[in-house]
Every structure is written in C-alpha cells, then in structure tokens.
C-alpha cells in the first residue's frame, strides 16, 4: 500500500482484461491520459500512476539520490508491477517514460507482455561522431537547462507550446503550460536534467519483449529519425507513424493514440 500512495496508483477498466500501464512524461501527471483512458477501459485493465514528484504522488518520498537517474523511476515501475500482481503488463511510456519502460523490460522481461514507446527518445543530443540525430546540439540542451533553472515558470510558458505543437489549438499548449507550472520547481529541475541528459541508446538492444514504437508525424522534441533509430535497435520491434503532430498525441489525438495501443495489445493475445 505504501507504493500505491507514493505513486498515487489507480486501477480501472475491465477486471481480468489485459493490463495496460500508462506512464506520463516530464512535467506531466496521470491526468494527461484522461482522454485515452475511457477508450481503453472498455477492453483492458488500466493502471495509472504519477512519478514521484508529480501530480498527487507523495512528495516526501522524493530524494535527489534516488531520482537523479532513470534507475530510480525504473525501480518504481517494477515495484508497482510486483505490488499489483496483475500479471504481465503492456507498458505505455510517453517521452522519457518510454526509456523507463526499456530499462524495466530489460531488467525484468517477465513482468511485461509488451512495450508501447510513445514519442520516445533514447538521447536528445546529437552525436556527430556516430551520425545519430537526437534533435538538439549539446549547446542547445545546456541552454535549455540553464533557462529552466533560472526561471522555471517563464521557461514553462515559453517551451510548453513548442513541445505540444498544434499552434492552431492554443488550448493544448496552455494545458501543458499549466501542467508544468503545477510541478515543484526544485524537483522539476532535477527531472529535466535526467530527461534531457540521459543516453539510453545502448539499452535498446537489451529489450526482448514485443515493442511498438509510435512516433508523431511532426514532433519538435523527437524527430522522425529518432523513432526510426529506436525501431532499428530494438529486435523485432514495429514502428508506426501517427498522423498526430506535436509531442503529446494522447492530448492532441487521443482516438488515434488509443487505437494504436489497442491494436498492439490485441495482437499480443
């Protein structure tokens, strides 16, 4: 029960159905899945949770030591799976949470029926030596982090609409801005460094469970080359490009996102 309180775990949907576990990205919480959840609950058991430091999680459980790398978050994912004991789950990780799923499935593959990596990026920084394109130069990322650390609220207001995309729907950018601004700035600064400085390219090949890589057709944060790289490095994985634009298809195109998840889970049966 400590784990359930710590991560504000909620379980809904069809009892006994295939289990789908939804993990949110940086600056968000489980509320960001609200448009997708009703579309999944009809067929699946749906598990939602907040990363420690986000949403209604127990902020007192956060420590810089535990959450200064993705390993602490990965430990939480595996603890939730063990505590709920619902059997192998299909883990849907958005953005940075996609790499948490990669790490968790590499460590305990028996806990997972499959992975859906939604708008994933194993490394945001370009690596000219290998030809890898993450979308940002090292200087870009350092400038981004310096701006975030100097004025988190101002950074949120400027960056959230860029991350969301869909400028013709400003309400989406406003929602993401508000989500960022609800986060504890001190915790967000640490999580931002974890998000934007992690390099999990070498971990992709360790995944042995069925995997769907779902990228958006236009994404300022994770360009198409990144999705192709992830699919190429995970043995047997499949890549689908959503018509959705921006980095948060669960808000911008919930029906299409839910359909991609549903088709993948159904194919695992």
């Amino acid at each position: 029960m400590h784990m359930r309180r710590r991560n504000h775990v909620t379980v809904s949907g069809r009892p006994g159905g295939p289990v789908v576990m939804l993990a949110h990205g940086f600056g968000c919480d489980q509320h960001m899945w609200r448009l997708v959840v009703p579309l999944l609950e009809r067929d699946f058991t749906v598990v939602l949770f907040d990363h420690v430091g986000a949403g209604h999680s127990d902020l007192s459980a956060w420590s810089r030591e535990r959450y200064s790398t993705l390993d602490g978050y990965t430990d939480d994912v595996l603890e939730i799976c063990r505590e709920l004991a619902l059997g192998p789950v299909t883990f849907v990780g958005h953005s940075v949470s996609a790499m948490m799923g990669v790490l968790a499935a590499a460590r305990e593959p028996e806990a997972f029926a499959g992975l859906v990596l939604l708008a994933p990026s194993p490394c945001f920084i370009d690596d000219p030596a290998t030809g890898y394109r993450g979308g940002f130069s090292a200087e870009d990322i350092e400038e981004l982090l310096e701006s975030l650390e100097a004025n988190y609220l101002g950074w949120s207001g400027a960056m959230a609409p860029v991350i969301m995309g869909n400028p013709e729907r400003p309400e989406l950018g406003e929602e993401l801005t508000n989500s960022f601004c609800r986060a504890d700035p001190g915790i967000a600064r640490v999580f931002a460094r974890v998000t934007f400085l992690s390099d999990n390219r070498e971990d992709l090949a360790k995944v042995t469970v069925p995997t769907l890589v779902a990228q958006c057709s236009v994404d300022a944060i994770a360009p198409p080359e990144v999705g192709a790289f992830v699919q190429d490095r995970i043995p047997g994985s499949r890549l689908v490009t959503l018509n959705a634009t921006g980095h948060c298809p669960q808000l911008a195109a919930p029906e299409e996102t839910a359909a991609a998840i549903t088709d993948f889970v159904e194919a695992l049966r």
Side-chain angles (χ1 to χ4, degrees), residues 5 8 11 46 73 134 162 230 256 265:
R5 290 194 302 272
H8 189 232
V11 181
V46 179
Y73 295 98
V162 175
V230 173
E256 185 183 22
V265 177

Side-chain angles (χ1 to χ4, degrees), residues 133-204:
R133 179 172 180 252
F136 300 87
S137 68
E139 293 76 18
D140 290 336
I141 292 296
E142 195 51 47
E143 182 179 333
L144 179 152
L145 292 171
E146 287 176 0
S147 174
L148 183 151
E149 289 167 0
N151 181 0
Y152 177 67
L153 294 181
W155 177 89
S156 298
M159 280 300 296
V162 175
I163 293 170
M164 177 59 70
N166 295 276
E168 74 286 359
R169 300 166 67 188
E171 69 279 5
L172 296 180
E174 182 178 348
E175 176 167 349
L176 190 60
T177 299
N178 293 336
S179 179
F180 281 9
C181 291
R182 286 195 300 271
D184 178 278
I187 293 175
R189 291 184 183 102
V190 176
F191 195 16
R193 288 199 164 268
V194 173
T195 297
F196 291 108
L197 296 179
S198 293
D199 185 350
N200 298 104
R201 287 177 290 171
E202 296 300 318
D203 296 300
L204 299 175

Side-chain angles (χ1 to χ4, degrees), residues 27 96-97 244:
V96 65
S97 283

Side-chain angles (χ1 to χ4, degrees), residues 6-268:
R6 182 191 66 196
N7 291 98
H8 189 232
V9 178
T10 62
V11 181
S12 62
R14 184 162 73 84
V19 183
V20 175
M21 185 178 189
L22 305 175
H24 65 82
F26 169 79
C28 303
D29 56 40
Q30 62 182 263
H31 186 65
M32 299 296 281
W33 294 105
R34 72 186 185 283
L35 302 179
V36 170
V37 169
L39 305 175
L40 299 178
E41 285 178 324
R42 296 174 297 200
D43 300 308
F44 311 125
T45 297
V46 179
V47 177
L48 291 166
F49 69 100
D50 294 329
H51 292 306
V52 172
H56 294 286
S57 66
D58 181 359
L59 297 185
S60 70
W62 187 88
S63 72
R64 182 182 293 268
E65 180 181 11
R66 180 176 176 88
Y67 296 106
S68 62
T69 71
L70 289 181
D71 289 335
Y73 295 98
T74 301
D75 290 342
D76 288 355
V77 168
L78 292 171
E79 286 177 17
I80 293 169
C81 290
R82 287 192 290 266
E83 178 71 20
L84 294 180
L86 293 172
V89 308
T90 296
F91 180 90
V92 182
H94 174 234
S95 193
V96 65
S97 283
M99 292 305 110
M100 298 173 196
V102 164
L103 294 173
R107 195 189 306 174
E108 296 187 20
E110 66 280 1
F112 299 92
L115 297 179
V116 177
L117 309 181
L118 185 63
S121 178
C123 180
F124 286 97
I125 299 174
D126 298 336
D127 184 358
T130 64
Y132 173 78
R133 179 172 180 252
F136 300 87
S137 68
E139 293 76 18
D140 290 336
I141 292 296
E142 195 51 47
E143 182 179 333
L144 179 152
L145 292 171
E146 287 176 0
S147 174
L148 183 151
E149 289 167 0
N151 181 0
Y152 177 67
L153 294 181
W155 177 89
S156 298
M159 280 300 296
V162 175
I163 293 170
M164 177 59 70
N166 295 276
E168 74 286 359
R169 300 166 67 188
E171 69 279 5
L172 296 180
E174 182 178 348
E175 176 167 349
L176 190 60
T177 299
N178 293 336
S179 179
F180 281 9
C181 291
R182 286 195 300 271
D184 178 278
I187 293 175
R189 291 184 183 102
V190 176
F191 195 16
R193 288 199 164 268
V194 173
T195 297
F196 291 108
L197 296 179
S198 293
D199 185 350
N200 298 104
R201 287 177 290 171
E202 296 300 318
D203 296 300
L204 299 175
K206 302 173 186 176
V207 175
T208 59
V209 303
T211 301
L212 176 68
V213 181
Q215 66 177 33
C216 295
S217 58
V218 179
D219 186 342
I221 302 300
E225 295 92 331
V226 175
F229 179 90
V230 173
Q231 188 273 327
D232 182 65
R233 294 304 192 276
I234 297 180
S237 63
R238 186 166 64 88
L239 173 66
V240 62
T241 299
L242 304 175
N243 291 323
T245 60
H247 192 59
C248 301
Q250 67 270 56
L251 281 182
E255 294 85 1
E256 185 183 22
T257 302
I261 296 169
T262 297
D263 290 347
F264 177 74
V265 177
E266 292 289 356
L268 295 175

